[in-house]
């Protein structure tokens, strides 16, 4: 339904957050269903209609989890994780260290509100 991968962040943090990447093959169709003008992942990541859909999907998943397991905040990347980008191994496993380093600024922004 539009999401390709989700990297959950929360090690030594007060709550869990996530980095979502969008599936470039399903985004246009899902956007059309939602009435979003987004035609690709970059536009969908910025689109309020698509963001609302993603919030509802995260909440739907959270409903099945205990409070401490649920995602409190998330960001949407305009491009999917890839082998070329260094985030995935050749067997399509997530390289957490690379993701944490490459998106350190975005991760810190997810937690910036808790310290203010």
């Amino acid at each position: 339904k539009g999401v390709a991968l989700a990297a959950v962040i929360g090690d030594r943090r007060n709550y869990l957050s996530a980095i979502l990447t969008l599936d470039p093959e399903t985004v246009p169709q899902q956007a059309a269903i939602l009435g979003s003008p987004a035609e690709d992942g970059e536009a969908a990541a910025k689109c309020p209609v698509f963001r609302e859909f993603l919030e509802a999907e995260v909440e739907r998943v959270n409903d099945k989890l205990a409070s401490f397991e649920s995602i409190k905040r998330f960001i949407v990347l305009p491009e999917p994780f890839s082998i070329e980008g260094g985030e995935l191994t050749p067997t399509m496993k997530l390289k957490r260290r690379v993701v944490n380093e490459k998106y350190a600024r975005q991760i810190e922004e997810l937690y910036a509100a808790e310290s203010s």
Side-chain angles (χ1 to χ4, degrees):
K1 281 190 170 186
V3 175
L5 289 173
V8 177
I9 311 295
D11 205 25
R12 296 183 296 276
R13 303 285 188 163
N14 291 336
Y15 56 88
L16 298 180
S17 62
I19 299 174
L20 305 180
T21 63
L22 302 177
D23 181 349
E25 293 181 19
T26 61
V27 163
Q29 179 184 8
Q30 188 63 43
I33 291 168
L34 297 169
S36 165
E39 294 180 6
D40 58 25
E42 188 171 350
K46 297 174 186 172
C47 176
V49 173
F50 210 88
R51 173 75 186 200
E52 190 175 305
F53 161 72
L54 293 173
E55 288 172 0
E57 287 297 297
V58 168
E59 196 54 44
R60 188 176 60 78
V61 171
N62 281 345
D63 286 344
K64 300 174 187 169
L65 302 171
S67 176
F68 70 91
E69 296 173 310
S70 64
I71 302 298
K72 305 292 187 228
R73 300 184 73 198
F74 67 90
I75 58 168
V76 182
L77 298 180
E79 296 292 325
F81 292 142
S82 66
I83 296 168
E84 298 79 17
E87 304 97 348
L88 299 176
T89 68
T91 57
M92 304 304 284
K93 292 181 181 131
L94 187 67
K95 293 182 179 179
R96 290 192 157 282
R97 183 183 55 76
V98 172
V99 169
N100 284 322
E101 290 172 4
K102 191 170 182 176
Y103 301 103
R105 182 183 56 77
Q106 292 93 327
I107 292 168
E108 287 309 311
E109 288 173 5
L110 286 169
Y111 292 96
E114 74 177 334
S115 59
S116 28

